[in-house]
Amino acid sequence: MDAHSRGRADEIDPADQWVLNPRTGNYELRLDHSAGQSQAPSAPRRSTVPAPTPAESPAEAPVPGQRRRRVVEPGDDGRQPPASRRKRKQGASRKKKVLLWTGGTMALVLVGGATGAYLLYNKLDGNIDVIDPVGNESKGFRKGEAFNVLIIGTDKRTGEGNAGYGDKDSPGHADTTILFHVSKDRTNATALSIPRDLMTTIPECQSRQADGKILTIPGQEKARFNVSLGQDGRDPGCTMRTVKELTGLTVDHFMMVDFNAVKELTTAVGGVKVCVEKPVDDPKSHLKLPAGESVIEGEKALAFVRTRSSFGNKSDLDRIKVQQQFLGSMIRQMKSNETLTSPTKLYDLAEAATSALTVDKGIGSLGKLEDMAKELVDIDTKNISFATLPVIDNPDEPKPITVVPHPTQAPQLFAALQADVSLTEVKKKEQNAKNAQAQAQAKLLQGTRAQASDVRVDVYNGSGIRGAAQSTINWLQNEQGVNRSTNKSNAPEKAAKTTLTYAPNQADQARKLADMMGLPATALKPGTQDAGVREPMTLVLGADFKGAGVPVYGPAKAPDVEKVEADKQVCAK
């Protein structure tokens, strides 16, 4: 139990607050305790349960879970001391974070342990919609293992006031998608936004229909990411599989919300602070804001995260940046004392959050959401980074309106997440990895380095990864200046390890290429005879190859991508 869950900041057992009102004959939950207590700023809610039957006395029929004790009247010498003088329990700040991370769902502790609590728990628990994706088997949250939650915001127009946003019959596509990666040590997290207009491969998937039947939906290449949900009967399980196909990361759980979630959650917390560099007047989204900071909620908050005409170059990528800034601000507001010490806000937040959520079976109850909250409790907002999948314009379109993953930066970012590298600490970890690698290889790779422009190399793909040789050539030529590199297509056979074969007089070139690609000394295979002036080295990519620019040896290196930090206020441009 937590102090801010009780309507004030002192430590009162919630079960002690259920008392019989002799005038009404009902048990009532009293959160204010007028005797010796100041009234909370917001009037707390009261819940009632039926009075005891005539055959029962109040002393013999306590509310289930309530302590059997007499009600202490003011002035009674046997009363308990005022709660303000009781010793505070340890770990209160930790429990505040638990409340935050469940989106307010644990506000049910306002009435913990009584019949009213049971009814309230069931009400909130019953608010949550559950979809059980075919083939998804959650293993729970394991110590020492990272996990990934897919947050999906759909463009479904159901709900009061949403039909006027256009395409009111939309089945609900993946309009906003964030892969939330939680590190294995639970100290940091990365929220990776996936553009809705990304062209990708949607694998074959099975979807459980409303009548219980299993529908098999064929895979689709070069499809927009947003149709991985809703189109042809696809459910969130199909989106989870699409993300795994794209990133190589297994998605453990999903949480799906619609337009109403933004409106109701922002209202529940009393508004979210946003900042814009110049005044906004968008006739499409009906968003009007003055320059500087504003507090928005409800329809205005929805307009803020939906607008594509007010910021940047009016693209979906710029809208993603604004959404990331908004989410960071909302997290800060949910963590504020203004929210955590208000029983009314906590209850409203719990009601809004549970009503808005559709989740997988693995987190499909308040108890399971609490389990997830406990895994997230130690993450500081300064260690939460929002990043967007690096992309380039779709080369298959004369006038690109869609995007594709960046050929080198996207694999680097995926490899970093797979290796559990934090974007907020990447510079420190990267340097530590470099130092450790340098010490281990110092004796084996001592010597001079050639200039990148003097390195000659033929690249063969023995990795089994489609297009690996060409992506490496693109990276070597465009980002490293190794212009004398050639794609020799597939190797004669698959290779378990990446190897670089070179002649004695090419050792300086080999060291330079090894530095670039993070090759261990064991990957270097020197020959016995010198090579000709124009003769290239031979690089064979093996099964240990993770992507162009991703070190084969040691921890993965995250690309230098634009990020939004959750603990910082940023003004939208």
Side-chain angles (χ1 to χ4, degrees), residues 31-103:
L31 296 181
D32 51 355
H33 269 253
S34 57
Q37 302 296 332
S38 60
Q39 187 71 17
S42 300
R45 300 171 183 263
R46 288 187 177 184
S47 301
T48 62
V49 294
T53 62
E56 298 174 326
S57 68
E60 296 172 341
V63 178
Q66 183 185 9
R67 296 179 184 174
R68 295 172 180 256
R69 54 169 291 185
R70 63 193 180 93
V71 178
V72 179
E73 299 295 336
D76 190 333
D77 291 337
R79 68 184 179 185
Q80 293 288 324
S84 59
R85 299 209 305 261
R86 297 187 187 178
K87 184 178 179 181
R88 293 185 58 83
K89 297 179 181 179
Q90 297 297 318
S93 61
R94 179 178 178 88
K95 294 177 182 177
K96 286 183 180 180
K97 293 179 181 178
V98 173
L99 282 170
L100 159 70
W101 282 111
T102 54

Side-chain angles (χ1 to χ4, degrees), residues 285-551:
S285 67
H286 308 294
L287 177 65
K288 291 186 178 181
L289 289 175
E293 292 185 348
S294 299
V295 177
I296 58 176
E297 62 181 76
E299 292 288 347
K300 185 169 285 190
L302 179 61
F304 185 82
V305 298
R306 290 190 67 246
T307 182
R308 295 178 63 164
S309 304
S310 303
F311 307 110
N313 60 10
K314 303 181 180 181
S315 70
D316 185 54
L317 297 178
D318 283 296
R319 183 176 69 158
I320 286 174
K321 294 178 185 177
V322 171
Q323 291 172 344
Q324 292 172 345
Q325 295 163 10
F326 177 86
L327 289 172
S329 183
M330 188 169 180
I331 288 174
R332 293 193 299 274
Q333 176 61 26
M334 291 173 70
K335 289 193 68 172
S336 68
N337 286 333
E338 179 186 352
T339 299
L340 293 175
T341 59
S342 169
T344 302
K345 283 187 178 180
L346 282 174
Y347 176 82
D348 289 345
L349 187 55
E351 174 73 12
T354 53
S355 298
L357 283 177
T358 299
V359 301
D360 65 279
K361 190 176 180 180
I363 51 174
S365 68
L366 284 179
K368 292 176 180 178
L369 286 173
E370 183 184 9
D371 289 342
M372 185 170 71
K374 291 175 181 176
E375 300 296 320
L376 301 168
V377 71
D378 290 325
I379 302 179
D380 196 299
T381 52
K382 69 181 180 182
N383 287 327
I384 301 175
S385 286
F386 290 91
T388 303
L389 172 64
V391 296
I392 59 173
D393 287 340
N394 187 353
D396 294 337
E397 296 174 347
K399 294 183 178 179
I401 58 174
T402 60
V403 294
V404 296
H406 192 288
T408 57
Q409 290 186 3
Q412 289 173 20
L413 183 55
F414 298 152
L417 292 176
Q418 291 166 15
D420 205 33
V421 175
S422 168
L423 297 189
T424 56
E425 300 173 0
V426 66
K427 295 299 181 183
K428 180 179 178 181
K429 288 189 175 182
E430 178 185 330
Q431 190 58 52
N432 290 342
K434 284 182 178 179
N435 293 341
Q437 181 176 342
Q439 292 173 4
Q441 295 183 326
K443 295 181 180 180
L444 297 174
L445 292 176
Q446 288 178 348
T448 59
R449 267 70 171 162
Q451 295 296 316
S453 57
D454 293 331
V455 174
R456 294 177 182 270
V457 62
D458 287 343
V459 181
Y460 291 84
N461 185 9
S463 68
I465 300 174
R466 186 176 174 182
Q470 187 57 52
S471 67
T472 300
I473 291 295
N474 292 341
W475 176 73
L476 287 172
Q477 294 182 353
N478 299 331
E479 298 189 31
Q480 303 299 313
V482 183
N483 297 320
R484 294 172 176 174
S485 52
T486 306
N487 179 4
K488 290 295 184 178
S489 193
N490 291 330
E493 58 184 9
K494 288 187 177 180
K497 300 288 185 180
T498 299
T499 58
L500 176 62
T501 304
Y502 62 99
N505 61 338
Q506 294 173 325
D508 56 345
Q509 296 182 46
R511 296 186 193 103
K512 181 65 175 179
L513 190 61
D515 290 345
M516 293 177 187
M517 297 196 62
L519 298 177
T522 53
L524 274 59
K525 306 298 181 184
T528 57
Q529 296 182 346
D530 285 348
V533 177
R534 297 180 182 276
E535 188 175 344
M537 300 180 293
T538 299
L539 176 66
V540 179
L541 304 175
D544 55 355
F545 174 80
K546 301 179 180 66
V550 179

